[in-house]
Amino acid sequence: MLVLRLLNVVAPAYFLCISLVTFVLQIFLFIPSMFRDPSATSLLSPALLHGALFLFLSANALGNYILVIQSSPEDLGKGLNLGEGTEVVADWLDGSRSPGSALPSTHFCRLCARVTQRHDHHCFFTGNCIGSRNMRNFIMFCLYTSLACLDSLVAGMAYISVALSMSFANPLAFLTLLPHSINQFFSGALLSSEMFVILMLYLWLGIGLACAGFCCHQMLLILRGQTRYQVRKGMVVRARPWRENLREVFGKRWLLGLLIPVLNVGSDNHRQKEK
């Protein structure tokens, strides 16, 4: 438990550090290098378009990240008729409280010390549980994080191709880039800044693929009306049309939430909270 609590603190700090490094590299290295092209002077230049795209992706990823953290799980016993906080903790920890005494898929998280309605999983990179209140923001966070990593990966490869005078036309060039770069770095033929960018390329690739895969898996569960917690516990869910399952998470005005980071707009859960 101590290791999990430590991970719950270190993982968000690690993610914010990677985000800050990515932002600095994009703004102060990749985008300025694009302006070296004499033709990139118009308002529709690739440098300005790339900068606007990166800022849009970063703002949505960071905005939804903050909303996931702010949309915390339910306080102990609040609105769930679970009793007082200390009693609830004791009941949930010793197993005396049956799952049927709470709402379906309600789960007490030892790390958050709170109860989550329609619990999905505990995300260490946000230090928060993912449930009915922040599921949509979590999916948007994963989506825009994967797109921001892809954007940074493409910009970084363009920068390295110019700095090292190499081409990535051959798919094997990217796979062999790291071992060749390590040899050149220790032989003194490669600058430390260029080596750092190369390491970030593989980090962006890994984070981007992980977020994209997690987002696709989460969307598949939503279409089926399930959560990861229900699948892990073998819970049987009532079959509903996939449109209703999507509307429950994203709301009717889903397009607004897709373009800007906002709370669950128009969702059934959000309207029930307001009532």
Side-chain angles (χ1 to χ4, degrees):
M1 181 60 65
L2 180 61
V3 176
L4 294 179
R5 291 186 181 276
L6 181 62
L7 181 62
N8 202 44
V9 176
V10 174
Y14 173 76
F15 172 78
L16 293 177
C17 181
I18 294 298
S19 301
L20 179 60
V21 171
T22 302
F23 183 82
V24 171
L25 288 177
Q26 283 273 15
I27 299 299
F28 296 100
L29 188 63
F30 298 160
I31 296 179
S33 65
M34 299 178 185
F35 282 100
R36 297 176 183 176
D37 185 2
S39 62
T41 56
S42 63
L43 294 177
L44 297 179
S45 63
L48 291 178
L49 293 178
H50 171 77
L53 176 62
F54 173 74
L55 291 178
F56 171 76
L57 297 177
S58 301
N60 275 277
L62 182 60
N64 283 286
Y65 181 81
I66 295 175
L67 290 178
V68 170
I69 298 176
Q70 289 183 344
S71 302
S72 300
E74 298 285 354
D75 292 335
L76 289 175
K78 180 182 179 181
L80 296 179
N81 296 322
L82 296 179
E84 298 297 331
T86 56
E87 297 177 358
V88 173
V89 175
D91 291 345
W92 279 82
L93 291 182
D94 64 16
S96 60
R97 181 173 293 277
S98 63
S101 62
L103 295 179
S105 303
T106 300
H107 175 69
F108 172 75
C109 178
R110 295 168 181 253
L111 296 176
C112 295
R114 293 177 177 177
V115 173
T116 310
Q117 181 181 347
R118 194 167 174 78
H119 177 82
D120 188 86
H121 69 285
H122 181 89
C123 177
F124 288 98
F125 285 99
T126 61
N128 204 357
C129 277
I130 308 301
S132 60
R133 297 185 62 183
N134 53 12
M135 174 60 74
R136 192 196 63 78
N137 294 116
F138 178 75
I139 293 177
M140 290 295 101
F141 159 68
C142 291
L143 174 63
Y144 280 105
T145 299
S146 62
L147 294 178
C149 288
L150 176 61
D151 178 84
S152 301
L153 176 64
V154 173
M157 292 176 62
Y159 174 82
I160 290 299
S161 64
V162 174
L164 302 183
S165 300
M166 63 177 300
S167 174
F168 288 99
N170 186 358
L172 296 178
F174 183 80
L175 299 178
T176 58
L177 176 62
L178 183 59
H180 290 331
S181 300
I182 294 176
N183 294 331
Q184 294 179 359
F185 176 74
F186 285 105
S187 63
L190 190 65
L191 299 177
S192 58
S193 60
E194 296 172 346
M195 185 64 199
F196 180 75
V197 172
I198 292 174
L199 293 176
M200 289 299 298
L201 292 181
Y202 290 90
L203 185 60
W204 288 326
L205 177 63
I207 296 177
L209 291 178
C211 289
F214 198 91
C215 184
C216 293
H217 177 256
Q218 206 70 44
M219 285 298 302
L220 179 60
L221 291 178
I222 291 175
L223 291 173
R224 296 167 57 183
Q226 292 180 308
T227 63
R228 293 179 62 186
Y229 178 73
Q230 292 174 334
V231 174
R232 187 169 67 252
K233 294 296 182 179
M235 297 181 179
V236 179
V237 297
R238 180 170 58 89
R240 296 188 307 176
W242 62 270
R243 294 180 182 272
E244 293 185 10
N245 296 328
L246 284 178
R247 190 181 300 113
E248 182 181 12
V249 176
F250 293 93
K252 295 181 179 180
R253 291 171 288 176
W254 57 270
L255 184 59
L256 178 61
L258 184 63
L259 298 178
I260 57 177
V262 293
L263 292 174
N264 290 11
V265 180
S267 65
D268 296 336
N269 290 330
H270 187 63
R271 287 195 296 268
Q272 293 175 2
K273 293 293 293 182
E274 291 178 348
K275 295 181 180 178

